[in-house]
Amino acid sequence: QQQVKQSPQSLIVQKGGISIINCAYENTAFDYFPWYQQFPGKGPALLIAIRPDVSEKKEGRFTISFNKSAKQFSLHIMDSQPGDSATYFCAAGPSNTGNQFYFGTGTSLTVIP
Amino acid sequence: EPEVTQTPSHQVTQMGQEVILRCVPISNHLYFYWYRQILGQKVEFLVSFYNNEISEKSEIFDDQFSVERPDGSNFTLKIRSTKLEDSAMYFCASSESLAFGEDYGYTFGSGTRLTVV
């Protein structure tokens, strides 16, 4: 059973455009939803995270939207820049047990100058 | 900024050989993890480790795998008899606590690319 489904697999956006990546999760017990950014040859790095008690969190150009009833969350990158080109992973899991996170399959984002 | 350090960055081994992947977690972190990523696929959980014992392991983490914290700084993953399908990027991660918040969670290392031939 795939706990976290992520789409699209790849995304090409013009510089200045909006990049949107979507994720859906299965387990209603999950209460921590981070997004990780991974550049080639590097490990995933925490980009932004949200808890289910809020519907949106914004940090600079990055926004997470969260829909608890639909069990979906998405990452929006406003004013996308070539430096944002990376692979983005969503994840979901419990926030306070240290048990495993379930990662999505990743989205390869390319921002064209 | 503190980092999780992994060595080697790339290891090639023959099928059936034992490999040890090494990690130095962030010094004040207490919880340690191994994840792996087969090329082009999702990041998969292997094992979590706390207080010198395994907290949780996935079905991937079978008897061929073991983890150890041999001293106060290193955290190792051993694969006893490697198979071709063990070829992947292995990521070590650590966290300060079990409570993950909006601004903190895992810190991943840069990974060790294991190639089994």
Side-chain angles (χ1 to χ4, degrees), chain A residues 37-71:
Chain A
Q37 180 187 55
Q38 184 183 28
F39 292 106
K42 299 292 186 182
L46 180 64
L47 181 63
I48 186 172
I50 197 168
R51 300 286 295 273
D53 50 346
V54 296
S55 60
E56 185 176 281
K57 180 177 181 185
K58 185 175 181 179
E59 283 188 3
R61 296 184 294 107
F62 300 89
T63 300
I64 299 179
S65 297
F66 185 80
N67 185 331
K68 188 174 181 178
S69 60
K71 294 190 289 184

Side-chain angles (χ1 to χ4, degrees), chain B residues 9 14 41 50-51 56 61 64 70 74 77-78 85 96:
Chain B
S9 58
Q14 287 202 324
Q41 298 186 26
Y50 169 68
N51 200 25
E56 186 186 12
F61 194 89
Q64 293 299 312
N74 290 284
L77 174 70
K78 181 191 292 186
E85 55 264 36
E96 185 174 355

Side-chain angles (χ1 to χ4, degrees), chain A residues 102-113:
Chain A
Y102 295 89
F103 282 78
T105 49
T107 296
S108 176
L109 171 65
T110 302
V111 181
I112 300 172

Side-chain angles (χ1 to χ4, degrees), chain A:
Chain A
Q1 183 187 15
Q2 195 172 348
Q3 295 274 6
V4 177
K5 295 180 182 178
Q6 182 174 348
S7 63
Q9 187 174 10
S10 63
L11 183 61
I12 299 174
V13 173
Q14 292 277 357
K15 178 182 174 182
I18 302 173
S19 304
I20 302 174
I21 305 170
N22 300 299
C23 281
Y25 64 98
E26 294 288 328
N27 192 332
T28 54
F30 293 162
D31 64 348
Y32 178 65
F33 305 91
W35 285 89
Y36 285 85
Q37 180 187 55
Q38 184 183 28
F39 292 106
K42 299 292 186 182
L46 180 64
L47 181 63
I48 186 172
I50 197 168
R51 300 286 295 273
D53 50 346
V54 296
S55 60
E56 185 176 281
K57 180 177 181 185
K58 185 175 181 179
E59 283 188 3
R61 296 184 294 107
F62 300 89
T63 300
I64 299 179
S65 297
F66 185 80
N67 185 331
K68 188 174 181 178
S69 60
K71 294 190 289 184
Q72 294 177 346
F73 58 110
S74 60
L75 176 69
H76 293 64
I77 306 174
M78 313 299 287
D79 187 26
S80 299
Q81 299 296 313
D84 297 331
S85 297
T87 298
Y88 292 81
F89 291 94
C90 63
S95 67
N96 60 0
T97 67
N99 288 341
Q100 64 172 298
F101 288 165
Y102 295 89
F103 282 78
T105 49
T107 296
S108 176
L109 171 65
T110 302
V111 181
I112 300 172

